[in-house]
Every structure is written in structure tokens, then in C-alpha cells.
Amino acid sequence: MHTGSYRISFVSLILVFVLCFVFRLTRSPLSADGAVVSAAADVAGGASADSADGAAVDVADGASAAGGSETESGDPSLVETEMGLEIPASLTDGLAKDTPVGEAADMTMAECKKLIAGMYKANSPRALWARHQSVSATFRLFDEKAQRWEEYSTFYADPMTYYSDDWTPGFEELRLLIYGGDACVEDYTSSIRFVSFLNASGVPYRDMKSDPVTLDPETLDEYLLAVHRTPDATYLVTQLTTPTILGLGLEEAEEGAFYSCIYRLDPDSDDLTGIQIALHETDGTVKNVRNASYSYDRGMTPFVEAGYTGLRKHLEADAVWAPEDLREVRVTLDPGTDRERARLLTALKGDPVSITLPDGYALYEDEELTVPWVDNGDYVSDLYLWAGKSEE
């Protein structure tokens, strides 16, 4: 499965956030190895492009200056919506923990693993981008009270772009854009608004050749419970592992209970078209939990394009805004050594900048690396910092 630090597996992603819960908790970018020093981390309601002295006022297309968004108000045509995920409810009827049924029961353990591995390989980044130009996903939570699926997140990805939008109930809406691997910006629509990222870690935030798009390696450890084939789809039903359950932020199942995951595959290409998770309780009750649907080569929907356009204004600030509306943020690593190198970001005045450093590095106000840098909340002035190995 994949969840979501940026690295989108469902379990991490259905999250996608499964990308999203991680971002909301840490306020840090993605999954690049390295320390994150965020100028936004200490902002309580922080400076924004709308409020900082001297900053240009920017309202992303489709969003209001008060923090409203397409999902809450405004043009209803921009609301992300797709057809419901079509998975027969009977696929999980009567399943028991650690007990394969039907075709899966007739297979050896090696054959079961080979079938799951084949699904994983067919949806690996290299194979997926060889077949498709873009991938879109919509994620849903099951509302037990209303007995219906409710959308809470979406993402769009192509080899150059990863965009996600999460409006999970109870959280502010969060948009994220990674472009070309290292360029990154987030939009917290009801608090600090836009945060830009300066990647000085040497590790890309996203590597399209290896980062999971729909499935991550945890999928290979899942236990095959059932196989169901129709002319329109192949369904693999697995039992989720504990690491996957914890990665999704789900409650651990009580003894004897378990979570199942249904993978819906195109029977010809093995493209993953849907995932659905359910909790199987000890009394036989099956409760829907989350699902995701995937589509390919659609391009951006109007909803995604509106959010993407707003983020691009901040990702490429020097191409959009007048010079007087911009500031420079520069980090020089290992100053005075033969490894010295500088990383520069041009940001819109008012946008906090989060700096990602190599492991063990810290930021300093001086080239001698004697005065640790402390964020003072000034997101309008130019900022020049130095970074080196921390003594701690």
C-alpha cells in the first residue's frame, strides 16, 4: 500500500496524506533525508502574503483572502469529485484472519507472494511512467453515521509535478506542490498560508524514478486472502501488516480482528485503479474505513488546476511578482572549506521559508558558525545564513 509523506503509497497516502497527517503534525517538507529548519514552525497564525508589512497581496485562484477554498465555498465546479469506487461488497464477506479462501487457498505461499509481487512490479514508478503521462487519485473516509463515503484528499502527479490537496474534516486545508524534485511550496489556507522550501540537503524531495506513486514496498509483505476475477477487473484481497496499520494512523485491531485491503486492478495492464480498507471485527462485522481511486492520463481537473496555479505563483515568485515584492534567502554550507556551496531561493515577501539541511547540520547567523540562527518572524527582509555540522 501507499500512504503519504510525499511518498505516496496508499497506506502512507491514504493518508495522503496519508501525506497529509504527517505534514500537519510536523509542518516539515516531504521525506527528504536531512534536518528541516522551518521558519514557519514557530508561527502562530504567522505572517502571510496577505498580512506582512511590505508584502504583496496574493489570493490564489479560487480561494478567498479569508482562507476559504474551493472545497468549502466558491465555484462549485471546482470541487473535486469522481465516480465512487466500484468494489463488490461481497469480496470481504466471511473472511477470517490468516485464512485464504477460494483461488488463494489453492495457491502455495510462493505463488501468493509472486502474485502480489507482480502487482507491485506493474505499478512501480519505472513501469507506471513507461505507460502513463499522469496519475490522479481521490481519497475517501467512510462516515459510519451517514453510511457513505466522504472525499477528503486528492493528488495529481506526472514525471515533473506532484500536487496534493487535503481538506480532512477538523483540519485546515493543506495544499502541497513539488516541482522537478526540489522545488516545493505548501499552502496552509487558514493560518500561515504559503510556505516555500529551500532544499540544501542534497537529497531531492521527490525522485520520479524511484518514489512510489500508488504502491510502496510494504505491499510486498501483505498476506493474500482472496483473488476475484471479472472481465472488467482483477481483485486481490490482502491482510494488512502492523507497520502499514500504524503508518495509516489506524487503531490496532483487537486480538482476532484484522484489516483487509482490496486492490482493484485493470485485468489487461495491471494498473491499480482502486484500494479499499475494511476492519474485520471478531464478531464477523466488517466496517469500511478508507478507499482511494486512481485514474490515468486525465490531466489536471479544474479543481487541481486552480490550486496548482495558486501555488506556482509562490514556487516561481521571481517570474510572477515585481522585484520590490521579492526577497532572497541564501544558505551557504561548509563556509571557508573546499566543500563550500550556496543554495539560493527567491521568495515572495511574507512567505516563510523552510530550509532543509543535510543530517547533522545547523544554521548560523555568521560565516564562522558561532552564532546559532533563531527565527525572528521577519519574512519580508532578505535572509543570508550559513550552515555547518552541529557540535551537539
Side-chain angles (χ1 to χ4, degrees):
M1 306 200 63
H2 185 124
T3 50
S5 66
Y6 142 69
R7 299 173 187 258
I8 301 175
S9 39
F10 182 74
V11 173
S12 311
L13 205 185
I14 225 176
L15 101 125
V16 21
F17 304 21
V18 159
L19 222 202
C20 303
F21 294 116
V22 173
F23 290 131
R24 296 180 188 283
L25 292 175
T26 64
R27 296 291 197 218
S28 67
L30 326 165
S31 53
D33 296 332
V36 175
V37 181
S38 175
D42 297 327
V43 177
S48 72
D50 296 351
S51 61
D53 293 340
V57 176
D58 170 52
V59 179
D61 293 352
S64 72
S69 69
E70 298 87 354
T71 60
E72 299 163 346
S73 62
D75 186 350
S77 69
L78 294 181
V79 175
E80 183 73 357
T81 184
E82 297 212 12
M83 296 297 291
L85 182 63
E86 296 180 5
I87 292 182
S90 60
L91 290 183
T92 55
D93 288 349
L95 289 181
K97 187 175 183 180
D98 302 327
T99 308
V101 298
E103 182 178 336
D106 296 332
M107 299 166 64
T108 66
M109 182 63 71
E111 289 171 333
C112 290
K113 287 184 173 294
K114 183 178 180 180
L115 189 60
I116 293 177
M119 173 181 70
Y120 175 76
K121 182 177 180 180
N123 290 278
S124 67
R126 193 174 300 275
L128 187 147
W129 294 128
R131 297 194 303 271
H132 300 294
Q133 295 183 356
S134 68
V135 181
S136 301
T138 299
F139 300 88
R140 305 172 185 84
L141 299 171
F142 191 75
D143 185 328
E144 282 285 343
K145 186 174 182 180
Q147 285 295 296
R148 66 186 181 194
W149 292 101
E150 299 284 353
E151 294 177 6
Y152 74 93
S153 182
T154 186
F155 84 75
Y156 165 88
D158 59 37
M160 284 296 293
T161 306
Y162 172 78
Y163 170 86
S164 67
D165 193 335
D166 186 310
W167 55 95
T168 303
F171 293 94
E172 62 181 303
E173 185 165 7
L174 170 63
R175 297 186 180 99
L176 164 73
L177 172 62
I178 309 170
Y179 191 80
D182 280 326
C184 179
V185 64
E186 291 177 341
D187 174 13
Y188 300 84
T189 57
S190 54
S191 61
I192 57 179
R193 294 305 301 270
F194 298 93
V195 177
S196 297
F197 292 87
L198 193 165
N199 187 5
S201 70
V203 178
Y205 290 139
R206 174 184 184 239
D207 182 352
M208 59 82 65
K209 294 182 179 179
S210 61
D211 285 348
V213 182
T214 57
L215 296 175
D216 67 18
E218 295 169 357
T219 307
L220 296 171
D221 296 327
E222 293 172 17
Y223 186 66
L224 187 65
L225 295 176
V227 179
H228 181 66
R229 305 177 192 272
T230 72
D232 298 322
T234 298
Y235 300 90
L236 303 187
V237 186
T238 68
Q239 182 173 304
L240 292 185
T241 64
T242 297
T244 290
I245 293 168
L246 297 178
L248 279 172
L250 300 174
E251 294 183 3
E252 288 192 66
E254 63 182 56
E255 186 174 355
F258 66 99
Y259 287 94
S260 70
C261 181
I262 301 173
Y263 295 93
R264 186 183 191 277
L265 306 171
D266 181 279
D268 298 319
S269 66
D270 277 341
D271 282 344
L272 181 69
T273 58
I275 295 176
Q276 186 157 299
I277 298 173
L279 172 62
H280 297 248
E281 299 184 324
T282 54
D283 63 359
T285 301
V286 180
K287 292 184 176 179
N288 289 321
V289 178
R290 302 181 187 178
N291 75 25
S293 58
Y294 299 91
S295 57
Y296 302 88
D297 304 322
R298 292 175 49 199
M300 293 185 184
T301 63
F303 175 86
V304 168
E305 189 170 10
Y308 169 83
T309 300
L311 287 172
R312 282 294 292 267
K313 293 179 182 178
H314 294 257
L315 191 72
E316 301 174 346
D318 54 348
V320 177
W321 306 94
E324 60 268 23
D325 296 324
L326 304 174
R327 68 184 183 114
E328 280 191 351
V329 178
R330 185 181 68 205
V331 176
T332 302
L333 296 97
D334 298 311
T337 73
D338 57 4
R339 301 185 307 278
E340 179 176 320
R341 66 270 190 207
R343 299 291 182 266
L344 176 68
L345 178 69
T346 301
L348 178 66
K349 288 180 178 179
D351 285 0
V353 174
S354 181
I355 300 169
T356 309
L357 297 174
D359 285 335
Y361 278 62
L363 288 174
Y364 297 86
E365 295 183 5
D366 61 323
E367 189 172 355
E368 292 73 29
L369 308 182
T370 61
V371 183
W373 175 73
V374 177
D375 180 12
N376 63 6
D378 179 1
Y379 307 129
V380 175
S381 303
D382 292 337
L383 180 62
Y384 302 105
L385 300 172
W386 290 262
K389 285 282 188 179
S390 172
E391 296 180 359
E392 297 182 359

PDB file of all heavy atoms in Angstrom, residues 172-184:
ATOM      1  N   GLU A 172      -7.238  22.374   8.909  1.00  0.00           N
ATOM      2  CA  GLU A 172      -7.244  23.379   7.855  1.00  0.00           C
ATOM      3  C   GLU A 172      -6.880  22.704   6.538  1.00  0.00           C
ATOM      4  O   GLU A 172      -6.199  21.685   6.511  1.00  0.00           O
ATOM      5  CB  GLU A 172      -6.233  24.481   8.166  1.00  0.00           C
ATOM      6  CG  GLU A 172      -4.790  23.972   8.231  1.00  0.00           C
ATOM      7  CD  GLU A 172      -3.807  25.071   8.570  1.00  0.00           C
ATOM      8  OE1 GLU A 172      -3.778  26.063   7.842  1.00  0.00           O
ATOM      9  OE2 GLU A 172      -3.081  24.938   9.565  1.00  0.00           O
ATOM     10  N   GLU A 173      -7.320  23.310   5.447  1.00  0.00           N
ATOM     11  CA  GLU A 173      -6.969  22.736   4.151  1.00  0.00           C
ATOM     12  C   GLU A 173      -5.481  22.936   3.893  1.00  0.00           C
ATOM     13  O   GLU A 173      -4.900  23.978   4.187  1.00  0.00           O
ATOM     14  CB  GLU A 173      -7.784  23.395   3.043  1.00  0.00           C
ATOM     15  CG  GLU A 173      -7.541  22.746   1.688  1.00  0.00           C
ATOM     16  CD  GLU A 173      -8.580  23.134   0.649  1.00  0.00           C
ATOM     17  OE1 GLU A 173      -9.417  24.009   0.940  1.00  0.00           O
ATOM     18  OE2 GLU A 173      -8.552  22.557  -0.437  1.00  0.00           O
ATOM     19  N   LEU A 174      -4.856  21.920   3.342  1.00  0.00           N
ATOM     20  CA  LEU A 174      -3.418  21.955   3.066  1.00  0.00           C
ATOM     21  C   LEU A 174      -3.161  21.544   1.629  1.00  0.00           C
ATOM     22  O   LEU A 174      -3.588  20.478   1.194  1.00  0.00           O
ATOM     23  CB  LEU A 174      -2.676  21.000   4.007  1.00  0.00           C
ATOM     24  CG  LEU A 174      -1.195  20.752   3.688  1.00  0.00           C
ATOM     25  CD1 LEU A 174      -0.399  22.053   3.801  1.00  0.00           C
ATOM     26  CD2 LEU A 174      -0.624  19.703   4.628  1.00  0.00           C
ATOM     27  N   ARG A 175      -2.471  22.434   0.902  1.00  0.00           N
ATOM     28  CA  ARG A 175      -2.063  22.115  -0.462  1.00  0.00           C
ATOM     29  C   ARG A 175      -0.543  22.008  -0.513  1.00  0.00           C
ATOM     30  O   ARG A 175       0.166  22.736   0.184  1.00  0.00           O
ATOM     31  CB  ARG A 175      -2.533  23.193  -1.439  1.00  0.00           C
ATOM     32  CG  ARG A 175      -4.042  23.346  -1.527  1.00  0.00           C
ATOM     33  CD  ARG A 175      -4.406  24.338  -2.632  1.00  0.00           C
ATOM     34  NE  ARG A 175      -5.851  24.504  -2.733  1.00  0.00           N
ATOM     35  CZ  ARG A 175      -6.518  25.513  -2.194  1.00  0.00           C
ATOM     36  NH1 ARG A 175      -5.869  26.438  -1.500  1.00  0.00           N
ATOM     37  NH2 ARG A 175      -7.821  25.611  -2.334  1.00  0.00           N
ATOM     38  N   LEU A 176      -0.058  21.132  -1.362  1.00  0.00           N
ATOM     39  CA  LEU A 176       1.381  20.906  -1.500  1.00  0.00           C
ATOM     40  C   LEU A 176       1.724  20.763  -2.976  1.00  0.00           C
ATOM     41  O   LEU A 176       1.009  20.098  -3.721  1.00  0.00           O
ATOM     42  CB  LEU A 176       1.790  19.624  -0.765  1.00  0.00           C
ATOM     43  CG  LEU A 176       3.165  19.038  -1.107  1.00  0.00           C
ATOM     44  CD1 LEU A 176       4.269  19.899  -0.503  1.00  0.00           C
ATOM     45  CD2 LEU A 176       3.279  17.608  -0.604  1.00  0.00           C
ATOM     46  N   LEU A 177       2.834  21.388  -3.392  1.00  0.00           N
ATOM     47  CA  LEU A 177       3.320  21.241  -4.754  1.00  0.00           C
ATOM     48  C   LEU A 177       4.824  21.002  -4.726  1.00  0.00           C
ATOM     49  O   LEU A 177       5.568  21.766  -4.116  1.00  0.00           O
ATOM     50  CB  LEU A 177       3.021  22.502  -5.579  1.00  0.00           C
ATOM     51  CG  LEU A 177       3.635  22.567  -6.989  1.00  0.00           C
ATOM     52  CD1 LEU A 177       3.089  21.433  -7.859  1.00  0.00           C
ATOM     53  CD2 LEU A 177       3.370  23.919  -7.631  1.00  0.00           C
ATOM     54  N   ILE A 178       5.262  19.930  -5.370  1.00  0.00           N
ATOM     55  CA  ILE A 178       6.680  19.670  -5.600  1.00  0.00           C
ATOM     56  C   ILE A 178       6.868  19.684  -7.109  1.00  0.00           C
ATOM     57  O   ILE A 178       6.138  19.017  -7.843  1.00  0.00           O
ATOM     58  CB  ILE A 178       7.121  18.302  -5.074  1.00  0.00           C
ATOM     59  CG1 ILE A 178       6.680  18.098  -3.631  1.00  0.00           C
ATOM     60  CG2 ILE A 178       8.636  18.159  -5.192  1.00  0.00           C
ATOM     61  CD1 ILE A 178       6.875  16.674  -3.149  1.00  0.00           C
ATOM     62  N   TYR A 179       7.846  20.447  -7.558  1.00  0.00           N
ATOM     63  CA  TYR A 179       8.069  20.547  -8.999  1.00  0.00           C
ATOM     64  C   TYR A 179       9.530  20.258  -9.300  1.00  0.00           C
ATOM     65  O   TYR A 179      10.428  20.869  -8.728  1.00  0.00           O
ATOM     66  CB  TYR A 179       7.699  21.940  -9.506  1.00  0.00           C
ATOM     67  CG  TYR A 179       7.667  22.028 -11.012  1.00  0.00           C
ATOM     68  CD1 TYR A 179       6.561  21.578 -11.730  1.00  0.00           C
ATOM     69  CD2 TYR A 179       8.745  22.540 -11.716  1.00  0.00           C
ATOM     70  CE1 TYR A 179       6.532  21.632 -13.113  1.00  0.00           C
ATOM     71  CE2 TYR A 179       8.725  22.600 -13.104  1.00  0.00           C
ATOM     72  CZ  TYR A 179       7.619  22.150 -13.798  1.00  0.00           C
ATOM     73  OH  TYR A 179       7.592  22.198 -15.164  1.00  0.00           O
ATOM     74  N   GLY A 180       9.752  19.299 -10.184  1.00  0.00           N
ATOM     75  CA  GLY A 180      11.111  18.990 -10.599  1.00  0.00           C
ATOM     76  C   GLY A 180      11.971  18.353  -9.536  1.00  0.00           C
ATOM     77  O   GLY A 180      13.193  18.335  -9.664  1.00  0.00           O
ATOM     78  N   GLY A 181      11.375  17.838  -8.479  1.00  0.00           N
ATOM     79  CA  GLY A 181      12.140  17.131  -7.456  1.00  0.00           C
ATOM     80  C   GLY A 181      12.502  17.961  -6.250  1.00  0.00           C
ATOM     81  O   GLY A 181      12.368  17.504  -5.120  1.00  0.00           O
ATOM     82  N   ASP A 182      12.957  19.213  -6.457  1.00  0.00           N
ATOM     83  CA  ASP A 182      13.436  20.017  -5.333  1.00  0.00           C
ATOM     84  C   ASP A 182      12.582  21.239  -5.014  1.00  0.00           C
ATOM     85  O   ASP A 182      12.558  21.694  -3.886  1.00  0.00           O
ATOM     86  CB  ASP A 182      14.870  20.488  -5.603  1.00  0.00           C
ATOM     87  CG  ASP A 182      15.889  19.401  -5.322  1.00  0.00           C
ATOM     88  OD1 ASP A 182      15.660  18.609  -4.400  1.00  0.00           O
ATOM     89  OD2 ASP A 182      16.900  19.340  -6.031  1.00  0.00           O
ATOM     90  N   ALA A 183      11.921  21.805  -6.003  1.00  0.00           N
ATOM     91  CA  ALA A 183      11.115  22.996  -5.766  1.00  0.00           C
ATOM     92  C   ALA A 183       9.827  22.606  -5.052  1.00  0.00           C
ATOM     93  O   ALA A 183       9.086  21.748  -5.511  1.00  0.00           O
ATOM     94  CB  ALA A 183      10.805  23.685  -7.094  1.00  0.00           C
ATOM     95  N   CYS A 184       9.565  23.251  -3.920  1.00  0.00           N
ATOM     96  CA  CYS A 184       8.431  22.824  -3.091  1.00  0.00           C
ATOM     97  C   CYS A 184       7.780  24.015  -2.414  1.00  0.00           C
ATOM     98  O   CYS A 184       8.457  24.946  -1.970  1.00  0.00           O
ATOM     99  CB  CYS A 184       8.912  21.831  -2.027  1.00  0.00           C
ATOM    100  SG  CYS A 184       7.627  21.245  -0.913  1.00  0.00           S
TER     101      CYS A 184
END
